[in-house]
Amino acid sequence: MVETTSDSGWISPAAFHRAPGVADWRVTGTGPQAVFSATSLAHAARLVGPVVEAAERHGVRPDIDVRPEAVAVRIPIREPEGIPAAATSFAALVSRAAAELALMADPARAQSIGIYVAQHSRADVRPFFAAALGYEPLGDTDAVDPLRCGPQLAFNPITGDTPTRGRTHIDVFVPADQARARVDAALAAGGRLADDSHAPAWWSLASPDNHGVDIASWTDTYE
């Protein structure tokens, strides 16, 4: 039996990053995550045991995504209060185990994708999307895949728009130290800068045919 710790409470992304031993980790829209490059599926899978042990010790409920190229470990934000305080100790143990297994952290691969659905102020489209996608409500405005595989949806009203006209754009949450490079890559690939008044929290881009994408880094630094 693994002895558990008494870590409790909630912390911000900025507080998470101030903790020792978490340099491999970044906080995206769905919570802290680390991606470790692997040489094979078997190599990546060797981290599963240490992750499970660390999770039991600290009372954390992580998601583990094992691929031949890499293993991603995520600490999903399941409550509106934010990141569990125990996440820092858990993350440090996982990073230590990954280093011992020669699994190298690759922060540039850390990201989460969300879809922002703008609805008329007198409409409520969340029940429709949740039913169609098999999602569950999260808080007052979002919906999520119960297994956290698909993109998170956010529903927010807009005023002064025409009823029955739907609008969506994609939110791409990336590490703060990777955001500018992602923006530059999208612009070099034919995108257009629509609004940078909120940078470096987020940049609003448009594709060549005017579809919207926000590159957001604020989740990695929020106090």
Side-chain angles (χ1 to χ4, degrees):
M1 179 180 293
V2 177
E3 182 181 355
T4 60
T5 68
S6 59
D7 294 320
S8 61
W10 309 94
I11 58 174
S12 68
F16 175 87
H17 280 303
R18 287 193 290 266
V22 301
D24 296 338
W25 294 72
R26 302 293 187 273
V27 182
T28 69
T30 55
Q33 65 171 275
V35 181
F36 302 97
S37 295
T39 58
S40 67
L41 184 63
H43 186 205
R46 291 174 64 190
L47 189 60
V48 173
V51 169
V52 172
E53 182 177 351
E56 292 179 349
R57 178 173 298 171
H58 292 287
V60 173
R61 298 166 61 196
D63 290 336
I64 311 170
D65 187 345
V66 179
R67 306 292 178 95
E69 302 87 356
V71 52
V73 184
R74 303 180 181 91
I75 308 170
I77 296 178
R78 302 172 186 270
E79 303 293 340
E81 288 86 349
I83 301 167
T88 57
S89 300
F90 165 81
L93 277 181
V94 171
S95 286
R96 192 177 312 139
E100 292 172 355
L101 294 170
L103 290 160
M104 303 301 295
D106 187 357
R109 291 188 175 186
Q111 70 173 22
S112 62
I113 305 297
I115 299 176
Y116 184 105
V117 181
Q119 58 190 7
H120 190 269
S121 57
R122 294 190 298 274
D124 180 11
V125 302
R126 185 167 70 158
F128 165 78
F129 279 95
L133 298 176
Y135 274 29
E136 297 177 345
L138 176 67
D140 295 328
T141 61
D142 291 9
V144 294
D145 180 345
L147 294 180
R148 299 166 302 285
C149 294
Q152 187 166 316
L153 303 184
F155 301 88
N156 293 90
I158 53 176
T159 58
D161 195 28
T162 304
T164 74
R165 180 186 177 189
R167 291 182 177 178
T168 62
H169 70 258
I170 297 174
D171 291 330
V172 183
F173 297 95
V174 299
D177 58 4
Q178 305 293 325
R180 183 72 248 188
R182 185 66 67 90
V183 170
D184 291 344
L187 295 177
R192 173 176 60 84
L193 181 62
D195 182 9
D196 63 354
S197 62
H198 300 283
W202 74 85
W203 291 258
S204 294
L205 309 179
S207 71
D209 53 353
N210 216 35
H211 292 290
V213 175
D214 282 0
I215 306 296
S217 64
W218 65 268
T219 56
D220 201 25
T221 57
Y222 186 68
E223 287 280 4

